């Protein structure tokens, strides 16, 4: 299984235009800045398959199109045809890795103005699947593609247009159309704009009311809004406002309940003090060459576990041959850091280790759990990785 995400920058407002080369340059600058912001935070996370990486999507580079395509269908499975930042990683069976990506996107869109993000996994719109009980009735699996965006650290939905309602149906949007609609809405929060209030936890009686923008957005993201039924204008954050389109329906609907559902899921799975999933460190008895390799490259523990879980008879034969090269190496006790889910899966497996993979009897008897993890759960693959 894999998860793919796309981060789009709003057009520049500096009057210099956004030609293809300048747009690519802006995306490269954003990619570097976001990597500098995220990677130190993510450094301690143990990815089960691949780490999160950021790339620049160049619409003129067909090699990018092949790597970044999100599905096997039509336009709704392709990202918007403009330069942007994107990433895709294999997560295997790790739901934790998926939600670390969600947490990263919530961080980026919440801290950066003018950034919109989409996210999909093998089952479709991951954000909508998690928030299913908080979504409006008009949203269906058929019309959902490219109607959900993260922006301002919150989930936004693009409801059917008046034309869709006149036809009596709403189909999926292309990524370019959905992004264009979202940007028009966000650009529409100007003086005189009709808005609807939502997601104000401190004053819930305001939610659902309509109002008019009387003071445009400040650097802090707040606007002055005269809300119906109140004499004085209120200072509200743009996250609490949705532009009202023709017929009184919001042109893009902020989803406070769905956003809260996403935040709860992130808090549940990314439950460590650093905002990342808690990790499990176990002791393992390993031959010294494998222990040295693991000490210098801790992420290989996850790769070894994945290889062990997916082992084949041919792979075991190759591993046994590799172990014979180190049969005289001394053994040592080393700490192995894994995700909790990976450790639980390994602990549930039963595996008879080859003779070459077993530590000396006296050492194994002194620390049987360490011997079991080292010999039975992943040593084969560590040895194979070392000799590959």
């Amino acid at each position: 299984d894999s998860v793919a995400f796309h981060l789009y920058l709003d057009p520049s407002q500096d009057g210099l235009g956004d030609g293809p080369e300048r747009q690519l340059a802006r995306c490269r600058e954003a990619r570097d800045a976001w990597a500098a912001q995220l990677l130190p935070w993510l450094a301690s996370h143990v990815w089960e398959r691949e780490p999160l990486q950021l790339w620049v999507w160049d619409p003129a580079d067909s090699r990018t199109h092949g790597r970044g395509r999100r599905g096997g269908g039509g336009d709704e499975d392709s990202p918007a045809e403009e330069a942007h930042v994107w990433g895709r990683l294999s997560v295997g069976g790790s739901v934790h890795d998926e939600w670390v990506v969600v947490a990263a996107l919530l961080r980026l869109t919440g801290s950066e103005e003018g950034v919109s993000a989409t996210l999909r996994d093998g089952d479709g719109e991951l954000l909508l699947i998690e928030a299913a009980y908080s979504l409006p009735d008009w949203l269906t699996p058929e019309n959902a593609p490219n109607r959900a965006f993260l922006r301002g650290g919150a989930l936004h939905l693009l409801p059917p247009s008046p034309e869709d309602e006149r036809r009596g149906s709403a189909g999926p949007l292309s990524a370019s159309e959905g992004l264009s609609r979202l940007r028009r809405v966000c650009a529409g929060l100007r003086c005189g704009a009709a808005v609807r209030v939502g997601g104000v936890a401190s004053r819930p009686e305001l939610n659902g009311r309509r109002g008019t923008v009387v003071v445009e957005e400040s650097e802090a993201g707040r606007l002055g809004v005269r809300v119906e039924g109140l004499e004085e204008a209120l200072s509200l954050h743009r996250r609490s406002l949705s532009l009202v389109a023709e017929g009184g329906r919001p042109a893009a609907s902020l989803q406070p309940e769905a956003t809260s559902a996403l935040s709860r899921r992130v808090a549940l799975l990314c439950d460590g003090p650093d905002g990342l999933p808690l990790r499990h460190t176990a002791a393992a008895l390993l031959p010294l060459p494998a222990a040295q390799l693991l000490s210098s490259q801790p992420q290989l523990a996850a790769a070894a576990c994945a290889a062990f879980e997916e082992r084949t008879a041919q792979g075991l034969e190759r591993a046994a041959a590799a172990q014979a090269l180190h049969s005289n190496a001394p053994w040592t006790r080393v700490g192995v850091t894994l995700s909790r889910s990976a450790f639980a899966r390994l602990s549930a497996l039963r595996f008879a280790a080859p003779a070459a993979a077993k530590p000396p009897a006296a050492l194994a008897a002194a620390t049987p759990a360490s011997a079991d993890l080292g010999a039975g759960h992943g040593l084969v693959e560590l040895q194979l990785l070392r000799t590959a």
Side-chain angles (χ1 to χ4, degrees), residues 7 31 42 55 57 79 83 121 131 140 177 180 201 217 246 249 256 304 322 333 350 352 365 370 372 379:
L7 290 150
R31 185 265 319 271
L42 295 172
W55 297 291
W57 172 285
D121 66 3
T140 67
E177 183 181 3
S180 178
E217 186 173 350
E246 177 185 340
R249 164 171 278 182
R333 191 168 181 265
R350 294 293 177 264
S370 301
D372 184 57
L379 169 64

Side-chain angles (χ1 to χ4, degrees), residues 198-285:
V200 182
S202 59
R203 297 191 61 181
E205 72 276 8
L206 298 177
N207 297 331
R209 293 194 193 182
R210 295 183 60 172
T212 303
V213 176
V214 294
V215 179
E216 292 191 4
E217 186 173 350
S218 68
E219 292 185 2
R222 305 190 73 84
L223 300 91
V225 180
R226 180 166 285 112
V227 179
E228 60 184 7
L230 301 179
E231 294 184 2
E232 295 186 2
L234 302 178
S235 175
L236 297 173
H237 198 278
R238 68 173 301 135
R239 294 194 193 108
S240 302
L241 302 173
S242 299
L243 187 71
V244 174
E246 177 185 340
R249 164 171 278 182
S253 178
L254 179 72
Q255 301 292 312
E257 291 186 9
T259 301
S260 296
L262 298 180
S263 299
R264 287 194 299 270
R265 185 67 164 167
V266 168
L268 178 66
L269 294 176
C270 302
D271 51 356
D274 53 1
L276 294 170
L278 288 171
R279 299 163 288 281
H280 183 85
T281 300
L285 287 175

Side-chain angles (χ1 to χ4, degrees), residues 7-42:
L7 290 150
Y8 302 97
L9 298 172
D10 282 358
S12 173
Q13 301 297 318
D14 59 12
L16 299 179
D18 259 345
E21 290 304 318
R22 186 161 188 271
Q23 194 175 24
L24 279 171
R26 290 182 64 223
C27 289
R28 293 187 184 105
E29 291 176 5
R31 185 265 319 271
D32 294 343
W34 295 341
Q37 176 183 342
L38 291 178
L39 295 185
W41 169 55
L42 295 172

Side-chain angles (χ1 to χ4, degrees), residues 130-154:
E130 179 59 32
Y133 292 108
S134 306
L135 298 176
D137 293 338
W138 59 260
L139 192 69
T140 67
E142 291 72 30
N143 65 24
N146 299 308
R147 292 185 181 274
F149 290 84
L150 290 178
R151 189 178 175 100

Side-chain angles (χ1 to χ4, degrees), residues 77-363:
D77 291 318
S78 299
E81 288 301 316
E82 63 178 61
H84 61 275
V85 179
W86 73 286
R88 185 178 64 190
L89 60 151
S90 172
V91 297
S94 174
V95 67
H96 291 84
D97 282 2
E98 282 192 328
W99 285 92
V100 168
V101 175
V102 174
L105 295 183
L106 287 170
R107 281 192 176 210
L108 286 181
T109 59
S111 62
E112 299 281 342
E113 290 292 333
V115 177
S116 307
T118 61
L119 176 72
R120 288 171 67 93
D121 66 3
D123 295 322
E125 301 281 353
L126 173 63
L127 302 176
L128 300 185
I129 294 171
E130 179 59 32
Y133 292 108
S134 306
L135 298 176
D137 293 338
W138 59 260
L139 192 69
T140 67
E142 291 72 30
N143 65 24
N146 299 308
R147 292 185 181 274
F149 290 84
L150 290 178
R151 189 178 175 100
L155 179 68
H156 295 258
L157 292 180
L158 297 171
S161 66
E163 291 78 10
D164 292 331
E165 292 183 337
R166 283 193 286 270
R167 289 198 306 265
S169 64
L173 302 176
S174 69
S176 295
E177 183 181 3
L179 187 61
S180 178
R181 283 196 193 183
L182 183 69
R183 286 170 172 166
R184 287 199 301 270
V185 170
C186 294
L189 293 178
R190 299 287 185 262
C191 278
V195 295
R196 189 181 302 277
V197 182
V200 182
S202 59
R203 297 191 61 181
E205 72 276 8
L206 298 177
N207 297 331
R209 293 194 193 182
R210 295 183 60 172
T212 303
V213 176
V214 294
V215 179
E216 292 191 4
E217 186 173 350
S218 68
E219 292 185 2
R222 305 190 73 84
L223 300 91
V225 180
R226 180 166 285 112
V227 179
E228 60 184 7
L230 301 179
E231 294 184 2
E232 295 186 2
L234 302 178
S235 175
L236 297 173
H237 198 278
R238 68 173 301 135
R239 294 194 193 108
S240 302
L241 302 173
S242 299
L243 187 71
V244 174
E246 177 185 340
R249 164 171 278 182
S253 178
L254 179 72
Q255 301 292 312
E257 291 186 9
T259 301
S260 296
L262 298 180
S263 299
R264 287 194 299 270
R265 185 67 164 167
V266 168
L268 178 66
L269 294 176
C270 302
D271 51 356
D274 53 1
L276 294 170
L278 288 171
R279 299 163 288 281
H280 183 85
T281 300
L285 287 175
L286 295 172
L288 184 59
Q292 291 172 332
L293 177 67
L294 197 57
S295 297
S296 63
Q297 301 182 55
Q299 192 67 41
L300 283 181
C305 291
F308 179 73
E309 290 181 276
E310 299 166 4
R311 65 195 184 279
T312 62
Q314 183 180 13
L316 284 174
E317 291 176 2
R318 293 177 58 201
Q323 287 171 342
L325 298 176
H326 311 294
S327 57
N328 296 322
W331 288 67
T332 186
R333 191 168 181 265
V334 63
V336 179
T337 301
L338 302 167
S339 69
R340 288 174 297 173
S341 59
F343 180 78
R345 292 197 305 272
L346 286 179
S347 299
L349 293 175
R350 294 293 177 264
F351 174 65
K358 295 180 179 179
L363 191 59

